[in-house]
Each structure stands twice: as structure tokens, then as C-alpha cells.
């Protein structure tokens, strides 16, 4: 009996010991985020704002407006955070003016007792101009379950209240993938968009007027794809078509071709690349001469991999849309001034649900004259409806 | 019809035999079945049966459950070829061994593309599709004990290998190996008693891969971190995982060498398992589990009266450590932190008692059993949990009766499990998501009252003086509620010698 008591007591002690060690809560790290007003915004003071923190492992999002002396102090669980500030600056001299500002800092590692980071503000000002209304980049699937790629398209929309000319409007696809972040040198992202596939609407400057609320459709192949795939779309009414690689190009002589400035616009069908529209300044030849550069990165073997690319100044860019998929996303490949978010079709690499879906810009409002105004906050995550039914599909 | 054919065959074979096998009677005794666990210590294994035996059997099993843990499947069709042997020699060496092969079709395994859920949970590779799974297992094990200078030294080892696969998308291809080794020293002490200490070691490895043949693509593949939570950074196309586990344990044993008296067993195991993913240098998660257990029993075995009273208790605490990573854009993710995000504590107490009496022409046994279990599973950030307590009570009866030279054994059981309390929380999940429905389905399974009945019919007949054959049919019917049921059918054929 004595042995039984000893054994029972031992078991009880072990049980109590385990329970005593029970972890009840997660440890926290104090993050201090300092909001910095750059020299270019001298004479302004921070009026208000909200910081959004997204932990990328868990997807957990938290927000705070408790900003004191341009500093936010918050206790967070350990992780890797993407931090966005959105707020307003107020002028300290002269007439009181208020300007919208943003700051973005990705991949802030929060661990240990305390961490600090800096959020440098930039002005956020949308302009009424051409915007990318829709990108159908995924292609379709035939009834037999085969992929069909020639039916992709862009729709560009005049989001202003005046007639705009589409002449010399470029569509450029990013050279970089949103799913593969590398330390590219030189790093020009603060000032330019890096591309190797550029097409341009021809014209003399006044050839292609687009009315307010009007749009143009640019098809891969402007043909009736329903003839080949009943699950596709008739694109014979497109305004323009691309000139693709010979092996996949089908020319419709009734539809004007875009001019290939560099490469072929094949459109990444998993949505790993981003697109901008920009107005060409000067001639094509000048562009190809002046904007060419070599980008490189150190590869896994320790060697430098170079590529001949072109840079489009951010100041030329009218609109941008970053595309990616959640499981593979690494970074946005535009400066956040152009676009600070990304949209998608499919949630994983090679997602079989992405086919026959596009990203479509949301409607913001309707003007008294009936003109539809599309949402343009320079944040594709907010401005676009992902995984939409393509608007040209019946 | 089956019984008729069987009895005819049994009767024919029985014509030439004269000796009835005592090891068979020993194996049929529910008291012996309850007692065997007490003599699991390798150095005391020599005492666990009165008679040496060898057995070769083929089992067919079919199980179908309307309520089930989604990760473990709704049932199984199984073929098992089993052999085991025990050679007893008190004064010198005792030997035992076991080998089996199983071929299983596990039905409707969802939210789990990984083998050996009981080892690796909650860290399974998962998708929302799943399906039936094919699995093959190979097991070889054995032990030896020898009396040297008054001490019994024993070594015991085993290997179990499993491979599982599916021939339609999603296509897991998993291979696991489970190696156990035990070293034990025992000593016989006065009054027919013996004590022993065992040191146990387990090494576990699994390669877990997933593939899709559909050229259009595939669904989200994620790595569950507990109660449906997963790391978004690791979800997508990471379809190659490695599990490496190690268990260390110790056990103290006290038993009567004549199978008559008080027995006790106390033990402690610590199991650690790491999960790694291809192309990530650091482990993504780890399990640390402590298990302590205690077994107390009194049993006596006389010529006509047999009795056992057994009380068993265990406490299990499993902690799951989860790493968070930063996406630096390079090939490998950079590990930021690691902390306990998952815990599960289980406490179980089981009482069993059986009494048996041998009459001239037959033996009967009556028994009762009762259990009390608590299970508390938690995930932190987001906070989710399942917490429930159950109690159960059951009775069983066994009748063994010679029919000519054939031995008939009938066993019936009934058990009622009641859920005393239950609670859960996963309010942060979109109710339309498959993970939400999975958690709800698992919760219903875990917290539903269960009434189970079980019946076994077995015939043993000697083929000659040294060889006996048997046939066994076991059927179980489980009643969850008016809609949900479960059934299990096992058919076995074998020889004992």
C-alpha cells in the first residue's frame, strides 16, 4: 500500500508540474514606427493618419491611429510585417492646405523586446486620366480541358471629364516578377518602372480621341475565339490588337495593330507580372536609346545575371496595376507612389480556378451627366475586384 | 451457411486429434487480454503467459463511420497477415516476435495528406480535396530476455514501415519508418514478485510529398498548424515535407511472476518531432509531447476462478512550436521567431474488472469497464479551442464451450459513452470555408454520445496434437444518433501451434 501511495503521489506531482508550465499568452515585441516627413515636404506637419500592420505569416491585420509626435508605439506578436501609413499633412505656413500622404514599409521583422522602423511619407495624388479598367490575363480553358491563350485583353478607360488621345499610349509589362524578389542593381524603382515588353498605340497625337467615360479594348488576337473555344469570347470588335510571336499571332486586318516597342506582350497567365500605361515622351528611337539599361542580380551560384531592359520614368506613368498570387507574392514591382497594392486571379501558383477570370477596376461613382468614374486610389488591392467574370464574356 | 460449412470442416479435422490446446484457452480469456499489458516490460515478458505459442492469421476488416475525424478517414478496408510467437523458458532464455503486413484502403481522408496522423498532428500537409488513400504497412519486431546472475536482461526492437499513395489528384506519396528499441533489466524478488526498469527509444521518419497531374493547376496546399490555422507564407506549392521524431522513455514495473497478485507500472515518455519543408533551412514546426502513465492491477488465476481489477491513468501534454518567417525574396525564407502556438492536454482514467469461472464443460467471464477522459486542444493567435469531457461505462461477457473437439467462444460487449461537457471556439473563420466545416464535423464527432455493441464468435479446432486452427468473426455496431452510425466487421482465419 505504501508503494501505491508513492506512485500516485509521483504521478500527481508530474501532472501539477506540467500544468504549472502552461503557456497562457504569446510574448510581444514593442514596435516603434517613426513617421518621417521628407525634405521635399518641408513646411508641412502631420495632421492625422492610420497605420495598418499586416503580419504576413498569419495574415493578421491590425490598425492604429495612436500616433504621438509622429511616432506610433505598439506591442505586436513576433513576425514579419508589411506596414502602411495613410494620412494627411497640413501646411504650417501661409494658407492652410491639406494633402494626402502615404508611407509603405514591407518586411519589417518584429522580434525580441523592441524594434524600430521609419515610415517616410510621399504625396498621394490621383489624377483624372487614362486608367487600366480591366486586365484579362489568364486565358480560358476549352471544353476538353485544354488551355487557350489567344483571347486575353486589356481595357483602357478615360476616367477624366475631357477628351483624351490614346496616341502614343504605352502598355508595359514588368520585367520583374512579383513572386521573385531580388536585389537588382541598379535599383531604379524609386524613379522608374523596369520593363522589357512594351507596346504602343500608334497615331499622330490626335488620331485616337477617347471620350470621357470611353474605353479602348486591346486584344491579343482580335478574332472570334468562340469559333475555336466555345468557352471563350468574340474579340472582333476590339479597338486594337497586339502583334504576338509569329507562332501564336493571328492578324485581323480589320483591327489596328499596336506597335511593338520592345519584345512581345504575351501576358503572364498566372499573373506574376505588373502592368503600367504611360505616355511616350519623344520618339520611339529616342526612348530605345535613352531609356535602355542593364539590370542585374547575383544568382544562387554567385554569378551576376544581367538583362537588357528599359526604364519608364514614373512621371510618365498614368496608371499601374500589380498582379500576383497570395502563396507566391514577394513584392510589388512598382514604386508605391504608382501602386501600393496588388490584385489577383488565383490564390496559388498554377491555380486551376483562375482561368476565365480577370481583374476589373471598381466603380467609384457616377457623375451627374451619367459618366462612370472608376476608383483610382493607387492601390490595386482596393481599386480592383479580383477574380471577376471578364466584362466582354457573355 | 458459413457456420455450417465451417463446423463441418472443423468436425472433419477434429476426428484425428486428441489434445486440446491450452494456449488457445489462455488467449481467449478476457482476463489474460487485460493482464498482458502489465507484462509488457521486455525483461518480465517471460512471465506474461503460462504457455508458449505461435500464431499465423489472416484478417479482413471493413469499417464505415458516418461521424469521424476528417484527417483520419471514414473507415477502412483492410487485409492483414499476422504472425506472432512466444517461447517461454523461465530458467534461461525467452523469445518473442511479431510480424505483419497490412494492405489498407482508407476512405475519405480529408484535410490531411500526411501519414501517421497520431504522431504528426497537427502539423500535416493538407488540401480541401483529399479522398480515399491506399496504404501498405510492414512490421517486424521481436525480443529476447535472458537470466544472467540473478538479473533478467532483455532487448526488444521493432521496425514498422508504411507507404501511402493515391492514384488521382491530389497524389500524396508518403513513406514512414518507425523504429523502436527497448532495453530492460529485471529482478525476481521474494514471494514470487519481480521488478524491472525499461528504457525505450523510438526513431521516427517520414517523407511526405504531394503531386498533381491536372495540367490546369491545383488547389491550395497548406501546412496545418492546429485547428485549421495555417501559415499563409508557407501555403501554396510547398509539397515536400520531412518529419523527424525521437522518443525517449522509461518505465518501472512490478508484477507477480506467478500471475497472481498485485501489479504496478509507471512510465514517462518524451517525444519530439520536427517538421521541415523543402528549400527552407529551418524547421517550420516542432512537437514536444510528454506522457506519463500509471497502471495498477490486482489479478489472480486459480484453476477455477480468475479475477482482474485494473486501473489505468495517463496524462498527455503536447505542445506545438511554430516558426514565423520573413520573405526576403531569396531562395529560402528567413526564420524570424518560434513560439508555442498549439497545446493539447489529455487526461484519461480507465477502470476494468473481470471475473471468470471454469465449469466442467464450459467457462464464463463477466466484466465491467469505465472511463473518464478530458481533452483540451488550443491554438493561440487566432484563439481557437476544443474542450470536452467524457465518461463511459460498459459490460462484457464471454462464454467458452467445447463442442466435441471444437472450442466455441462467444463474446458480447456493450458500452455507453456520454459527453459530460463540451465547448469550442473558432469564430474568426469564414463559415463558407471548408476549414470551418471540417472543424465543425470533427467537433461533432468528438462530442457526440456513443453507444457501441460488439459481438465475437470464434471457433478453434485442433488439426493435430500440435496444430490448431481458428476462425473468428467480430462485428461492432456504433450508434451516434438517429442518422449517424458506424459499423466494423472483422473476419479472421488462422492457425495456432
Amino acid at each position: 500500500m505504501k508503494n501505491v501511495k508513492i506512485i500516485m503521489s509521483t504521478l500527481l506531482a508530474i501532472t501539477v508540474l506540467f500544468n504549472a508550465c502552461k503557456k497562457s499568452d504569446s510574448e510581444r515585441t514593442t514596435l516603434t514606427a517613426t513617421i518621417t516627413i521628407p525634405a521635399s515636404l518641408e513646411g508641412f506637419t502631420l495632421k492625422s493618419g492610420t497605420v495598418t500592420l499586416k503580419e504576413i505569416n498569419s495574415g493578421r491585420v491590425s490598425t492604429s491611429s495612436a500616433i504621438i509626435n509622429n511616432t506610433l508605439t505598439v506591442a505586436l506578436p513576433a513576425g514579419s510585417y508589411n506596414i502602411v501609413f495613410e494620412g494627411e499633412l497640413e501646411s504650417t505656413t501661409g494658407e492652410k492646405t491639406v494633402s494626402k500622404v502615404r508611407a509603405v514599409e514591407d518586411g519589417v521583422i518584429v522580434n525580441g523586446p523592441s524594434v524600430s522602423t521609419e515610415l517616410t511619407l510621399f504625396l498621394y495624388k490621383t489624377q483624372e486620366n487614362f486608367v487600366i479598367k480591366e486586365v484579362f490575363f489568364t486565358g480560358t480553358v476549352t471544353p476538353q480541358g485544354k488551355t487557350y491563350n489567344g483571347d486575353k485583353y486589356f481595357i483602357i478607360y478615360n476616367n477624366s471629364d475631357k477628351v483624351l488621345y490614346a496616341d502614343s499610349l504605352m502598355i508595359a509589362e514588368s520585367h520583374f516578377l512579383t513572386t521573385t524578389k531580388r536585389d537588382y542593381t541598379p535599383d531604379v524603382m524609386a524613379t522608374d518602372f523596369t520593363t522589357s515588353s512594351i507596346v504602343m498605340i500608334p497615331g499622330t497625337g490626335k488620331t485616337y480621341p477617347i471620350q470621357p467615360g470611353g474605353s479602348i479594348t486591346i486584344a491579343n488576337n482580335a478574332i472570334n475565339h468562340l469559333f475555336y473555344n466555345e468557352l471563350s469570347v468574340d474579340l472582333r470588335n476590339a479597338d486594337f490588337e497586339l502583334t504576338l510571336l509569329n507562332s501564336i499571332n493571328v492578324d485581323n486586318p480589320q483591327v489596328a495593330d499596336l506597335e511593338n516597342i520592345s519584345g512581345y506582350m504575351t501576358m503572364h497567365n498566372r499573373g506574376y507580372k505588373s502592368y503600367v500605361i504611360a505616355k511616350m515622351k519623344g520618339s520611339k528611337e529616342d526612348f530605345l536609346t535613352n531609356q535602355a539599361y542593364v539590370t542585374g542580380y547575383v544568382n544562387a551560384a554567385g554569378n551576376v545575371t544581367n538583362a537588357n531592359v528599359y526604364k519608364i520614368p514614373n512621371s510618365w506613368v498614368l496608371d499601374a496595376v500589380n498582379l500576383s498570387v497570395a502563396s507566391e507574392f514577394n513584392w510589388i514591382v512598382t514604386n508605391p507612389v504608382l501602386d501600393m497594392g496588388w490584385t489577383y486571379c488565383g490564390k496559388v501558383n498554377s491555380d486551376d480556378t483562375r482561368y476565365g477570370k480577370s481583374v476589373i477596376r471598381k466603380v467609384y461613382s457616377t457623375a451627374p451627366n451619367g459618366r462612370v468614374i472608376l476608383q483610382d486610389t493607387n492601390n490595386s488591392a482596393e481599386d480592383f475586384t479580383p477574380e471577376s467574370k471578364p466584362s466582354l464574356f457573355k | 451457411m458459413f457456420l455450417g460449412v465451417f463446423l463441418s470442416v472443423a468436425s472433419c479435422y477434429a476426428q484425428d486429434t486428441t489434445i486440446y490446446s491450452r494456449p488457445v484457452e489462455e488467449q481467449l480469456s478476457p482476463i489474460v487480454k487485460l493482464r498482458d499489458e502489465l507484462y509488457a516490460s521486455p525483461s518480465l515478458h517471460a512471465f506474461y503467459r503460462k504457455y508458449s505459442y505461435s500464431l499465423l492469421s489472416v484478417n479482413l476488416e471493413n469499417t464505415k463511420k458516418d461521424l469521424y475525424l476528417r484527417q483520419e478517414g471514414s473507415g477502412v478496408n483492410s487485409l492483414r497477415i499476422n504472425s506472432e510467437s512466444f517461447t517461454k523458458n523461465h530458467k534461461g532464455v525467452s523469445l518473442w516476435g511479431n510480424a505483419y503486413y497490412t494492405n489498407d484502403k482508407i476512405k475519405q481522408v480529408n484535410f490531411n495528406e500526411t501519414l501517421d496522423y497520431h504522431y504528426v498532428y497537427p502539423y500535416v500537409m493538407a488540401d480541401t480535396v483529399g479522398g480515399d488513400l491506399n496504404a501498405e504497412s510492414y512490421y517486424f519486431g521481436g525480443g529476447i530476455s535472458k537470466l544472467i546472475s540473478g538479473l533478467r536482461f532483455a532487448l526488444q526492437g521493432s521496425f514498422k514501415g508504411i507507404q501511402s499513395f493515391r492514384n488521382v489528384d491530389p497524389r500524396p506519396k508518403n513513406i514512414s519508418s518507425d523504429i523502436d528499441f527497448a532495453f530492460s533489466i529485471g529482478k525476481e524478488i521474494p514471494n514470487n514478485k519481480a521488478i524491472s526498469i525499461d528504457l525505450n527509444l523510438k526513431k521516427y521518419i517520414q517523407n511526405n510529398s504531394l503531386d498533381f497531374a491536372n495540367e490546369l493547376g491545383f488547389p491550395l496546399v497548406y501546412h496545418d498548424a492546429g485547428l485549421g490555422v495555417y501559415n499563409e507564407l508557407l501555403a501554396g506549392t510547398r509539397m515536400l515535407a520531412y518529419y523527424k521524431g525521437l522518443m525517449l522513455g522509461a518505465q518501472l514495473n512490478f508484477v507477480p511472476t506467478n500471475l497472481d497478485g498485485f501489479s504496478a507500472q509507471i512510465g514517462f515518455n518524451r517525444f519530439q518531432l520536427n517538421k521541415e519543408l523543402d528549400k527552407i533551412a529551418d524547421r517550420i514546426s516542432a512537437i514536444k509531447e510528454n506522457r506519463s502513465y500509471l497502471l495498477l492491477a490486482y489479478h489472480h488465476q486459480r484453476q477455477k476462478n480468475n479475477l482482474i481489477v485494473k486501473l489505468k491513468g495517463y496524462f498527455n501534454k503536447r505542445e506545438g512550436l511554430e516558426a514565423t518567417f520573413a520573405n526576403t525574396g531569396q531562395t529560402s525564407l528567413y526564420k524570424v521567431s518560434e513560439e508555442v502556438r498549439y497545446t493539447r492536454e489529455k487526461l484519461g482514467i480507465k477502470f476494468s474488472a473481470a471475473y471468470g469461472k471454469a465449469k466442467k464443460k464450459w467457462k464464463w467471464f463477466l466484466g465491467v469497464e469505465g472511463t473518464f477522459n478530458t481533452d483540451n486542444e488550443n491554438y493561440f493567435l487566432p484563439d481557437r479551442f476544443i474542450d470536452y469531457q467524457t465518461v463511459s461505462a460498459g459490460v462484457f461477457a464471454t462464454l467458452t464451450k467445447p463442442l466435441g473437439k471444437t472450442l466455441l467462444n462467444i463474446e458480447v460487449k456493450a458500452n455507453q459513452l456520454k459527453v459530460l461537457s463540451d465547448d469550442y471556439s473558432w469564430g474568426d473563420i469564414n463559415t463558407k470555408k471548408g476549414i470551418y466545416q471540417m472543424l465543425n464535423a470533427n467537433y461533432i464527432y468528438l462530442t457526440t454520445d456513443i453507444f457501441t455493441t460488439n459481438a465475437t464468435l470464434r471457433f478453434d479446432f485442433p488439426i493435430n496434437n500440435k496444430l490448431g486452427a481458428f476462425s473468428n468473426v467480430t462485428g461492432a455496431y456504433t450508434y451516434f444518433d438517429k442518422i449517424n452510425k458506424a459499423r466494423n466487421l472483422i473476419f479472421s482465419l488462422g492457425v495456432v501451434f
Side-chain angles (χ1 to χ4, degrees), chain B residues 112-248:
Chain B
N112 176 19
E113 301 292 359
T114 307
L115 263 176
D116 299 325
Y117 184 70
H118 59 290
Y119 279 151
V120 305
Y121 82 88
Y123 297 121
V124 295
M125 184 189 295
D127 56 61
T128 54
V129 183
D132 294 352
L133 197 64
N134 302 302
E136 286 186 330
S137 307
Y138 305 85
Y139 176 91
F140 308 95
I144 181 170
S145 76
K146 185 172 172 53
L147 189 62
I148 303 171
S149 303
L151 291 175
R152 281 190 179 271
F153 292 89
L155 292 173
Q156 183 172 277
S158 68
F159 167 81
K160 184 179 182 184
I162 310 178
Q163 62 170 349
S164 70
F165 60 94
R166 189 184 293 122
N167 289 324
V168 294
D169 286 353
R171 298 164 190 255
K173 194 173 181 182
N174 307 322
I175 297 174
S176 75
S177 71
D178 186 358
I179 299 167
D180 283 278
F181 178 78
F183 174 66
S184 175
I185 301 175
K187 181 171 175 55
E188 289 179 58
I189 55 178
N191 301 320
N192 294 320
K193 308 291 183 197
I195 55 170
S196 76
I197 182 168
D198 310 332
L199 299 173
N200 302 310
L201 173 74
K202 174 192 287 293
K203 186 166 172 56
Y204 175 80
I205 296 170
Q206 183 182 166
N207 287 356
N208 173 203
S209 65
L210 190 63
D211 197 9
F212 293 85
N214 182 359
E215 64 180 37
L216 297 180
F218 42 83
L220 179 75
V221 175
Y222 64 94
H223 297 272
D224 202 320
L227 293 172
V229 179
Y230 63 88
N231 185 324
E232 293 185 0
L233 207 53
L234 303 177
T237 53
R238 295 184 187 277
M239 294 188 279
L240 191 53
Y242 308 99
Y243 298 83
K244 294 170 187 167
L246 187 69
M247 191 208 74
L248 291 170

Side-chain angles (χ1 to χ4, degrees), chain A residues 356-377:
Chain A
K357 293 177 181 171
S358 70
V359 295
I360 299 179
R361 190 176 288 277
K362 295 173 185 169
V363 172
Y364 177 67
S365 65
T366 304
N369 63 0
R371 179 175 66 91
V372 171
I373 301 169
L374 300 181
Q375 181 171 314
D376 182 19
T377 66

Side-chain angles (χ1 to χ4, degrees), chain B residues 455-485:
Chain B
T456 298
L457 183 64
R458 172 167 164 156
F459 294 95
D460 282 83
F461 52 93
I463 293 173
N464 58 40
N465 287 353
K466 293 182 178 176
L467 182 67
F470 69 89
S471 172
N472 186 98
V473 181
T474 299
Y477 185 78
T478 300
Y479 179 91
F480 294 107
D481 53 40
K482 285 182 180 175
I483 299 168
N484 297 299
K485 319 279 190 299

